[in-house]
Amino acid sequence: MDTITKEQRKAALDLMKANLASDSKFQTHLNACVRCGLCATSCMYYIAFKDPKYIPGRKVNLVSSIYRRYFTPEGKYFPSLFNARNLDAEMAEEMVDCLFGGCTMCGRCVKHCSIGVDVSYIVKKGREMLAVMGLVPKTLQATVDAAINTGNNMAIPTEEFVDTIKWMEEELQDEMGDPKANIPLDETNRHIIYTLNPREPKFFPLSISAMAKVFYAAGESWTLSSKYYDVTNYGFFNGNNEEAAKIAGYLYDETHRLKADKLVLGECGHGSRASRWEGPNLLKKAYDFEMTTALELMAEYIRTGRIKVDKTKNQTLCTLHDPCNLVRNGGLLEEMRFVVKSCVANFVEMTPHGNDNFCCGGGGGQLAMSEYNERRLKIGGIKADQIKATGAKIVITPCHNCVDQLMQINHTYKLGVTIKTVAEIVADALVLPDPASPHDNPADTAAETVADPLHTDSNSSK
Amino acid sequence: MIISAWISIAALIWCIAFLVSYLIGLIRKGAPKDLSERSGNTVKGIIYSNTGAMLPAAKESAYMHLPTYTAGMIFHIGNFLSLLMFVWIIVCCCCNISTPAVLALILAALLTVSSLCGIFILIKRFVNVNLRSISCFDDFFSNIICTLFQIAGICIMLSFSNICTYTDACSADRLCLMNFYFIVAAILFIWMPLGKIKHLIYYFAARYHLGFFYGWRNTWPPKHI
Ligand code: SF4
Ligand code: SF4
């Protein structure tokens, strides 16, 4: 990058000014870092590369140095004393490299920061500044553009998607031995609208049939949309909130169009976060329908006895990878373990795990930014070591992005493990009712489901 | 009161005015607004953020760096003690009272330990390549001025405790000492709201926001699994 224009700088500074005027969290975290450097060893980038540019506090200071330079008197008049830096081409380049290419926004350093600086939040704000300057890495932007223009980030044509679903439906019917077992598409007035990561129809269609099997066993009233089924939202990572809002709006509008009671977010960490936690804030309104994750839904099915699982069906030693956006940033630590431990006979935790777990390395949009592939795989070495140490043969994770990164880690570091989603593990453990028995046929119980007091808004057509 | 004492009081007023303005700025912007459906308990999250989450066992920045963490904690205790001592010394000057010798000796001993910790952290910042790479003048100066304030406090306490016998000549030395103490205090107070010592305010705000964020999402207080 040779230069940045006055307009680019102005756009970034105007955005910072607007955020400063309204957001006490922004003001707080810009001023809180004491540059103690103790967060370095909490960040997998620093651990993997031992390069000070990856120290989380330094990433914070890239953004806060601009704040000091333009928005504080001391930084304006004595910039060198306070590390107040101009927003010039060199700075912008460094920001792109460190904030896009050197952080998965996993938040691990946040929990371990000696002060409590929300590093990933500041990284996000830095990305927003780069976005208004038009400096989002091209590959990431292309993913967002695809989602905006086609409704899914892999630009899968609707016909191809529908074909895949029909194929999976046939497989489901064969497996269940029940011609009524189906994968509904674009049905209205269903209790649930379910969403997918486009990687599923593209590369892992069996995970769709796994979840369909769970719905079948639960006798759920559900549907997929043939157009807006994409749970991911890379707009959350490219820093363009308008684009993020537009993508979040697709699912919001589709839930209304299909008149579903509940939006169920498929197994995708950042996608769940982007809708569950960020969606209402992006759209500036509280959602007027229920929203939950597939993980929570499966936990509910198991707890209420709506599906029966037999853990002895999964005997192989399993471990669990906690997606950062579902656990540390989503509070699903217990739910995830409840489901997995209900479905596997032999389980071992990684060290560390839960809220302390290391990111797989594919978060923060890294999987969409091929420019940083080498870095991504190198930081993945930490996860590889964690997996190896467990001795497990199956790694379970409720996130398709994590699955993708874990598969690449599996290949690169020759781990010889199998990666599975939670739905796949639950599907493997299902104790299925006998379709021959009229009282046992889940496809028939879909209508009964609507009478479930939990689903008070349902009507008889569902 | 000597003129340097007045200067330090003026500097303290400047400092408080700035810090209060930061605080008002934060309060004015209001509590965090979140339109998503809350899953946890923000009050419990904030309480945990300021209690359990700050325990050494909960943070890698503490348990993986125990010597630095311990030195940092002691240094910070010394800083707070020094600030309280400043108020006490001003009161002593105004009311012409003196500190009991035993108390003065205890305070001097405590500050000796904390200022040594400050020096340890300063040396680490100079020596450690990583730390140096993320440091600027403010980082060094903030540490130096706080440590100096503690050392000046030690000198004052020792003089209060009458460890030296004061002759008339010594009185001049003592005046010099008092001037030194109050000038260091004034520099510290002027610097405090400009440099990173302003985290005195922002630390608490950061813990609040973090507790709110994780409490809202049901991450904090952590679940036992
Ligand atoms: S982010 Fe936290 S741990 Fe890291 S340098 Fe800043 S204050 Fe220290
Ligand atoms: S959010 Fe994660 S990747 Fe980013 S600096 Fe912190 S620990 Fe590193």
Side-chain angles (χ1 to χ4, degrees), chain B residues 122-177:
Chain B
L122 182 65
I123 292 171
K124 190 179 168 196
R125 197 175 277 283
F126 272 112
V127 172
N128 185 296
V129 186
N130 278 343
L131 209 44
R132 212 167 54 222
S133 78
I134 59 167
S135 301
C136 63
F137 176 84
D138 176 28
D139 297 296
F140 295 103
F141 187 73
S142 293
N143 180 310
I144 290 169
I145 195 68
C146 287
T147 308
L148 215 53
F149 186 48
Q150 294 189 19
I151 292 170
I154 297 167
C155 299
I156 293 284
M157 283 300 123
L158 290 181
S159 78
F160 270 153
S161 71
N162 288 328
I163 277 180
C164 327
T165 10
Y166 290 104
T167 60
D168 284 345
C170 266
S171 290
D173 287 347
R174 193 171 184 194
L175 185 66
C176 191
L177 190 64

Side-chain angles (χ1 to χ4, degrees), chain A residues 94-372:
Chain A
E94 244 182 274
M95 285 172 78
V96 171
D97 183 56
C98 289
L99 307 186
F100 276 114
C103 177
T104 64
M105 292 161 66
C106 70
R108 189 170 193 277
C109 53
V110 177
K111 179 181 178 284
H112 292 293
C113 164
S114 54
I115 296 280
V117 178
D118 195 336
V119 181
S120 45
Y121 170 81
I122 293 294
V123 166
K124 169 90 167 51
K125 291 288 166 196
R127 286 186 180 196
E128 287 175 15
M129 291 169 73
L130 292 168
V132 294
M133 294 167 80
L135 297 177
V136 177
K138 286 193 176 57
T139 45
L140 179 58
Q141 190 55 48
T143 308
V144 176
D145 292 343
I148 288 179
N149 297 329
T150 69
N152 73 85
N153 77 46
M154 300 192 101
I156 303 170
T158 305
E159 308 76 57
E160 188 184 321
F161 176 70
V162 172
D163 280 352
T164 306
I165 295 303
K166 289 294 155 207
W167 166 41
M168 283 301 109
E169 187 173 69
E170 283 163 23
E171 296 276 318
L172 181 72
Q173 288 166 352
D174 283 351
E175 197 184 342
M176 298 298 107
D178 181 358
K180 283 196 222 158
N182 66 347
I183 304 185
L185 269 177
D186 296 325
E187 297 288 341
T188 54
N189 293 302
R190 294 296 172 110
H191 179 55
I192 280 171
I193 174 172
Y194 184 61
T195 55
L196 304 169
N197 185 313
R199 286 172 203 275
E200 295 180 75
K202 195 80 183 168
F203 305 121
F204 312 110
L206 291 178
S207 74
I208 305 175
S209 53
M211 195 62 200
K213 203 168 151 184
V214 174
F215 282 138
Y216 172 81
E220 186 58 271
S221 155
W222 70 292
T223 188
L224 280 171
S225 160
S226 62
K227 174 80 174 158
Y228 295 113
Y229 55 84
D230 184 356
V231 66
T232 72
N233 189 340
Y234 281 88
F236 178 64
F237 292 138
N238 81 342
N240 188 323
N241 286 336
E242 274 174 32
E243 290 177 343
K246 195 162 188 178
I247 295 169
Y250 286 163
L251 290 187
Y252 179 88
D253 293 341
E254 195 65 353
T255 306
H256 276 282
R257 192 182 72 79
L258 294 178
K259 301 191 182 78
D261 303 327
K262 192 190 257 188
L263 170 62
V264 175
L265 306 160
E267 293 189 76
C268 173
H270 92 269
S272 296
R273 177 178 184 174
S275 276
R276 170 68 180 88
W277 301 110
E278 318 293 344
N281 297 308
L282 287 165
L283 296 179
K284 299 187 173 48
K285 59 185 171 196
Y287 283 14
D288 50 3
F289 48 78
E290 270 186 80
M291 184 164 37
T292 192
T293 59
L295 194 68
E296 290 165 285
L297 186 73
M298 287 186 278
E300 183 195 314
Y301 286 164
I302 295 171
R303 264 197 199 105
T304 57
R306 215 166 142 186
I307 59 170
K308 304 236 170 330
V309 284
D310 175 4
K311 60 165 77 174
T312 61
K313 289 184 169 195
N314 286 318
Q315 288 290 347
T316 314
L317 182 61
C318 297
T319 189
L320 188 56
H321 164 68
D322 295 87
C324 312
N325 285 313
L326 289 175
V327 176
R328 198 161 31 239
N329 296 305
L332 295 183
L333 175 88
E334 275 176 314
E335 288 300 78
M336 199 155 92
R337 281 165 177 76
F338 168 70
V339 176
V340 169
K341 288 181 180 175
S342 302
C343 297
V344 303
N346 296 300
F347 177 75
V348 57
E349 289 280 15
M350 288 188 200
T351 307
H353 61 266
N355 292 336
D356 280 342
N357 197 30
F358 279 102
C359 174
C360 61
Q366 296 305 325
L367 274 163
M369 293 186 272
S370 51
E371 303 86 325
Y372 305 114

Side-chain angles (χ1 to χ4, degrees), chain A residues 27 42 46 108 112-113 281, chain B residues 29 35 59-61 130:
Chain A
Q27 183 187 339
S42 298
Y46 179 79
R108 189 170 193 277
H112 292 293
C113 164
N281 297 308
Chain B
K29 283 166 199 159
L35 294 167
K59 298 160 89 77
E60 286 182 354
S61 55
N130 278 343

Side-chain angles (χ1 to χ4, degrees), chain A residues 423-443:
Chain A
E424 286 171 316
I425 282 292
V426 174
D428 289 346
L430 274 178
V431 179
L432 285 163
D434 177 8
S437 154
H439 303 295
D440 245 6
N441 191 339

